[in-house]
Amino acid sequence: MKIAHSLAEYAALRSALDGPTAPRVAYVPTMGALHEGHRSLIKLAKTRGDMIVVSIFVNPLQFGPNEDYARYPRPLEDDLQVCAADGVDIVLVPSVTELYPAGRQVTVDAGALGSVLEGHSRPGHFNGVLTVVLKLFNIIRPQVAVFGEKDAQQLACIQRMVIDFNLAVEIVGAPIVREPDGLALSSRNVFLSASERAVARSLSAALEKAATQGSVRSARAAAYEVLDRAEAEPCFELDYATIVNPATFAEVPDDHVGLAVFVVAARVGGTRLIDNTTINFTPAPWG
Ligand code: AMP
């Protein structure tokens, strides 16, 4: 496994791959603190490409001023061991100063899709995500890139950018990896105390209950039964729990039929958690 700490080091490795027998480069962007969710993306990438590139970069541009950029976990040595064990070919670990040199000005605007829900609670977040992803696509030059469905709105924004900017990268979504009790794996779960960890389970529990319902109205009610109980705990503060169109993230009407995504976000102690599930709503039977 090769480790590139600078863009020049990566460029040298990448240009050696060009030519008539060029391998298909499959790319997994991460912020590190790798867990089984990231590893599942690497595994999926291996089925889609011949060379696997992972980047590890905690992107300051996607964090708000009062968010957890400074304390975000950065266990780089462990991460490199995970990548090596999982058969990654190249890891790019760029520096903030090289990705964001003084004088930079131009950023990507995620549009309406990037200003609702997560984008509403975290202003500028998706502009920061899309800006770094576009830069990394240009640097890495992958044929395919894998993103987790855990960050469903992020995945939708990236798919939108690829269409709107005519990017020659195939985007692949990977299913959410969960703890045995349902909690979605996240690098931020390490911040949860034991009692917060128990309350955090309410997010996936609410989604599980909603997913067994036939209508939007009953799915919402089932989820809120669980979330209302969680809100009785002082450490739990719900941000949103909304059923949305998978492409636009606009709220679907009560009589919606077909696929929709139930997205939830909450603060548990000092930690912001998100989760989602896709539900196929069926037409109500007559009678
Ligand atoms: P992050 O390091 O949090 O920026 O995540 C890097 C990639 O891993 C993103 O595409 C995430 O959606 C994905 N990811 C994070 N957690 C999970 C999970 N529990 N299951 C699947 N993918 C995940």
Side-chain angles (χ1 to χ4, degrees):
M1 185 177 83
K2 301 273 198 304
I3 302 165
H5 289 278
S6 72
L7 303 189
E9 278 174 70
Y10 179 81
L13 295 170
R14 181 67 181 85
S15 58
L17 302 176
D18 288 336
T21 57
R24 195 171 149 82
V25 173
Y27 171 42
V28 180
T30 82
M31 298 204 299
L34 302 182
H35 51 62
E36 291 300 322
H38 299 109
R39 297 183 75 179
S40 76
L41 269 52
I42 293 170
K43 208 166 164 189
L44 182 54
K46 286 171 109 169
T47 69
R48 298 303 192 103
D50 319 305
M51 284 286 292
I52 309 304
V53 178
V54 169
S55 62
I56 298 176
F57 181 65
V58 185
N59 175 32
L61 223 57
Q62 70 188 69
F63 288 78
N66 298 315
E67 294 185 358
D68 55 358
Y69 174 70
R71 72 164 184 155
Y72 198 86
R74 291 166 169 85
L76 183 59
E77 285 311 313
D78 294 352
D79 288 346
L80 294 175
Q81 272 179 26
V82 168
C83 290
D86 285 354
V88 171
D89 296 288
I90 306 176
V91 183
L92 172 65
V93 192
S95 69
V96 173
T97 45
E98 203 179 12
L99 271 195
Y100 299 124
R104 64 164 197 95
Q105 297 192 24
V106 181
T107 55
V108 180
D109 185 332
L113 178 60
S115 64
V116 295
L117 300 165
E118 277 304 282
H120 178 75
S121 299
R122 306 182 67 188
H125 171 67
F126 289 118
N127 295 353
V129 169
L130 293 189
T131 299
V132 82
V133 168
L134 181 59
K135 284 168 72 75
L136 288 166
F137 280 178
N138 287 331
I139 292 160
I140 307 270
R141 294 197 283 127
Q143 276 75 35
V144 54
V146 183
F147 291 85
E149 290 167 3
K150 158 85 175 8
D151 298 279
Q153 194 177 357
Q154 167 175 284
L155 177 54
C157 285
I158 285 158
Q159 275 162 336
R160 191 70 250 171
M161 175 172 75
V162 165
I163 293 167
D164 291 350
F165 286 0
N166 307 84
L167 303 182
V169 184
E170 182 195 345
I171 303 300
V172 176
I176 303 176
V177 177
R178 298 178 178 282
E179 299 280 6
D181 71 353
L183 179 70
L185 293 190
S186 162
S187 305
R188 292 189 167 96
N189 290 352
V190 296
F191 297 140
L192 299 170
S193 69
S195 59
E196 289 166 355
R197 170 67 184 75
V199 181
R201 155 93 182 98
S202 309
L203 291 184
S204 58
L207 294 175
E208 272 169 34
K209 241 182 143 180
T212 61
Q213 309 296 315
S215 76
V216 167
R217 193 190 297 266
S218 58
R220 202 182 288 124
Y224 267 96
E225 231 180 86
V226 178
L227 296 170
D228 284 346
R229 262 200 310 270
E231 285 211 287
E233 303 289 335
C235 68
F236 188 94
E237 191 189 329
L238 186 66
D239 183 356
Y240 58 76
T242 314
I243 305 174
V244 299
N245 175 302
T248 63
F249 277 68
E251 192 165 3
V252 296
D254 277 358
D255 61 353
H256 174 81
V257 168
L259 289 178
V261 187
F262 201 144
V263 286
V264 291
R267 191 163 277 284
V268 183
T271 308
R272 193 157 186 289
L273 300 178
I274 59 171
D275 200 349
N276 72 86
T277 195
T278 299
I279 305 176
N280 192 7
F281 292 104
T282 48
W286 291 104

